[in-house]
Amino acid sequence: MALSSKFKFLNLFYRHPLYVMHLVNLKMRLIQRFSWIKHNYDKDSQVPAPLIYKFILTKRCNLRCKMCMLWGETGWCKNESQEIISQELDWGVFRRVIEQIRDYHPSFIFTGGEPLLYSHFAKLALLLKDNKWFATICTNGLLLDKFLEVINNNPYLIFLISLDGLEEENDLLRGEGVYKKVLGNIKLLKSLKKPPYIGIQFTIRPENIKAMYRFCQEMAALGVDWILLNPCWFISQEQARAYEDFLMKNFNNRPKSHLGYLFPYMLDRKEFINQFQKIKNEQWPIQISCYLKEPQDIHPYLDMPHIPPRNKFCYKQWLRMDFTPQGDVTPCAQFPDLSFGNIKDSAIEKIWNSYDYEKFRKLIREKYLPICSKCNAIYLYDADRIFL
């Protein structure tokens, strides 16, 4: 490990020792699961229990960000009924799920919509602390000041906050006044006696690409723990049609969620390479990550949207279980078109190794889905990923 990497690791351990120990333990468990997947290709109906559980707590959101697949300019939720949109995960159902998985030493991801709009979020935060379960909360950060009491001295809450540039760029994409409000909330979190782990997700768009380097400077000075530079997820018309054909042929399902990603992504390649190279050339006190390994990777990312830049296998289907607000178990929270069962009336283990799940795993062993090439799970659960 390079000196700078050692420094960052030790610095992170000093600030968040319990979380770092959790990451190391999870890394070891992931390595074991990667090995199981490799050596048990004929046992896709006998997969050990998921290591991670991702819940879409609600599809409701208090922002209308331009690029959002749910509520953005092409967002698919805008065509849903109010009855569907207003639903959130039933607290009693969630508690029954917890009873089924507590012996598996689970970790969680909570998202939305906006997860802090979930009416039981305070209870959820306390439940995680009581059971010493870590959870990543993917949030726009607007409501963090409403939950300071349950966040304070709770090392099990990990926040991934979305900001897409400095004030001018961010507010162009997310709404007037959003940057100042979220920045103020981050400062409130940092002022707590024991601040939580704070990651920042920056979605790279034509509107903010020139601010990438300055944004990293600002966030590092603010004292956040991590910055994720996230190329905007988009799909082509060809991918959309191929995905529709795949689901109709194999599951008799007509999808709609992919339409939220169906838009042009006209990024200034030269500016991206310039900004990304400046970031890579500097020694930062925190980890700054990007799904693209090298600046020049932007060319295949844009020119060949159907081909993943690196890993081409979705390990996630053997590692993580995803849930919709209605309690449906879906193979992918990003594209919740398929349901393999509902936790209101089926046990977790039964759904996880059901006939449909086995069929789905066998299909994606042969080839990932047409819309999967930009999926963050391909990179997050990459067997060759070195960092925690």
Side-chain angles (χ1 to χ4, degrees):
M1 187 184 296
L3 180 60
S4 60
S5 297
K6 288 182 179 179
F7 171 79
K8 292 175 189 176
F9 180 83
L10 292 173
N11 189 31
L12 183 62
F13 183 79
Y14 174 77
R15 297 196 308 273
H16 308 287
L18 292 178
Y19 182 51
V20 170
M21 288 188 288
H22 162 73
L23 288 178
V24 172
N25 178 263
L26 180 59
K27 184 70 173 180
M28 296 302 103
R29 297 176 73 192
L30 287 171
I31 290 172
Q32 292 175 349
R33 186 60 59 89
F34 293 145
S35 177
W36 190 98
I37 296 167
K38 181 179 179 180
H39 295 101
N40 293 276
Y41 58 86
D42 59 339
K43 296 181 180 179
D44 286 334
S45 64
Q46 304 171 46
V47 182
L51 304 178
I52 303 159
Y53 299 81
K54 182 172 183 175
F55 289 86
I56 305 173
L57 297 177
T58 175
K59 289 190 176 74
R60 293 181 296 124
C61 190
N62 48 359
L63 288 181
R64 294 294 182 266
C65 307
K66 287 185 178 182
M67 60 289 187
C68 176
M69 69 283 192
L70 299 181
W71 294 107
E73 293 177 344
T74 61
W76 64 272
C77 277
K78 294 191 295 185
N79 297 320
E80 294 292 289
S81 69
Q82 187 59 38
E83 180 183 2
I84 294 295
I85 295 306
S86 62
Q87 291 181 359
E88 64 175 21
L89 186 69
D90 182 271
W91 180 249
V93 172
F94 178 73
R95 289 301 301 263
R96 290 201 296 274
V97 171
I98 291 300
E99 292 307 313
Q100 294 181 52
I101 67 176
R102 62 169 59 253
D103 292 338
Y104 300 147
H105 307 289
S107 60
F108 299 92
I109 301 172
F110 295 112
T111 185
E114 171 49 49
L116 297 188
L117 287 173
Y118 183 51
S119 61
H120 303 291
F121 184 80
K123 288 193 294 185
L124 177 61
L126 293 174
L127 179 70
L128 294 168
K129 183 178 181 181
D130 289 343
N131 288 277
K132 299 181 179 181
W133 293 328
F134 285 90
T136 298
I137 317 297
C138 304
T139 175
N140 60 38
L142 282 176
L143 299 175
L144 286 167
D145 56 323
K146 309 298 183 184
F147 296 99
L148 293 179
E149 185 176 348
V150 295
I151 293 173
N152 188 33
N153 198 27
N154 188 344
Y156 303 99
L157 298 179
I158 310 302
F159 290 100
L160 183 58
I161 303 170
S162 291
L163 278 176
D164 297 325
L166 301 174
E167 184 173 5
E168 180 180 354
E169 299 85 13
N170 180 83
D171 289 4
L172 180 63
L173 292 165
R174 294 184 164 265
E176 185 178 353
V178 171
Y179 184 80
K180 285 184 177 179
K181 174 62 175 175
V182 175
L183 198 70
N185 282 344
I186 293 174
K187 291 178 179 179
L188 284 176
L189 294 187
K190 294 294 296 180
S191 70
L192 295 174
K193 185 175 182 180
K194 293 187 177 181
Y197 180 99
I198 301 172
I200 303 294
Q201 179 169 242
F202 176 101
T203 299
I204 303 167
R205 291 275 302 178
E207 297 91 339
N208 62 21
I209 190 169
K210 293 183 179 180
M212 286 173 59
Y213 177 78
R214 289 184 292 115
F215 179 81
C216 290
Q217 287 182 311
E218 176 105 355
M219 292 300 107
L222 190 60
V224 304
D225 298 292
W226 177 42
I227 301 171
L228 173 60
L229 302 173
N230 183 23
C232 194
W233 192 343
F234 73 104
I235 65 171
S236 65
Q237 289 283 357
E238 291 76 16
Q239 287 173 283
R241 286 193 292 268
Y243 176 60
E244 292 162 5
D245 292 344
F246 175 89
L247 286 201
M248 284 300 298
K249 176 183 177 182
N250 293 288
F251 295 96
N252 194 31
N253 179 288
R254 190 173 301 280
K256 57 186 175 182
S257 65
H258 64 303
L259 301 177
Y261 299 95
L262 191 57
F263 53 77
Y265 188 39
M266 308 302 291
L267 207 63
D268 184 332
R269 302 160 193 246
K270 185 177 180 180
E271 186 63 36
F272 173 84
I273 292 172
N274 175 56
Q275 292 283 328
F276 193 17
Q277 194 62 59
K278 283 179 66 176
I279 293 168
K280 284 178 65 68
N281 288 344
E282 186 161 328
Q283 293 291 330
W284 300 91
I286 59 173
Q287 182 181 349
I288 299 179
S289 307
C290 182
Y291 297 147
L292 302 182
K293 190 174 182 180
E294 298 296 335
Q296 291 75 19
D297 288 343
I298 192 63
H299 293 297
Y301 189 88
L302 296 176
D303 295 335
M304 297 179 287
H306 58 291
I307 299 177
R310 295 201 302 278
N311 181 30
K312 297 183 180 181
F313 186 80
C314 182
Y315 288 95
K316 179 238 169 245
Q317 304 303 336
W318 289 260
L319 305 172
R320 193 183 85 194
M321 181 176 266
D322 293 357
F323 304 82
T324 71
Q326 293 78 29
D328 291 321
V329 175
T330 177
C332 183
Q334 298 298 131
F335 298 97
D337 298 298
L338 290 177
S339 172
F340 293 158
N342 191 290
I343 53 177
K344 295 177 183 177
D345 46 40
S346 295
I348 293 294
E349 184 177 352
K350 182 178 179 180
I351 298 174
W352 184 238
N353 284 306
S354 63
Y355 170 79
D356 283 338
Y357 236 130
E358 178 188 14
K359 178 182 178 180
F360 189 81
R361 291 185 181 115
K362 290 186 181 303
L363 286 169
I364 64 169
R365 274 190 184 275
E366 299 174 5
K367 188 178 181 180
Y368 57 85
L369 272 63
I371 40 75
C372 290
S373 59
K374 300 295 185 283
C375 180
N376 55 10
I378 288 181
Y379 309 96
L380 181 62
Y381 305 118
D382 184 352
D384 295 325
R385 185 165 172 245
I386 297 173
F387 297 106
L388 299 174

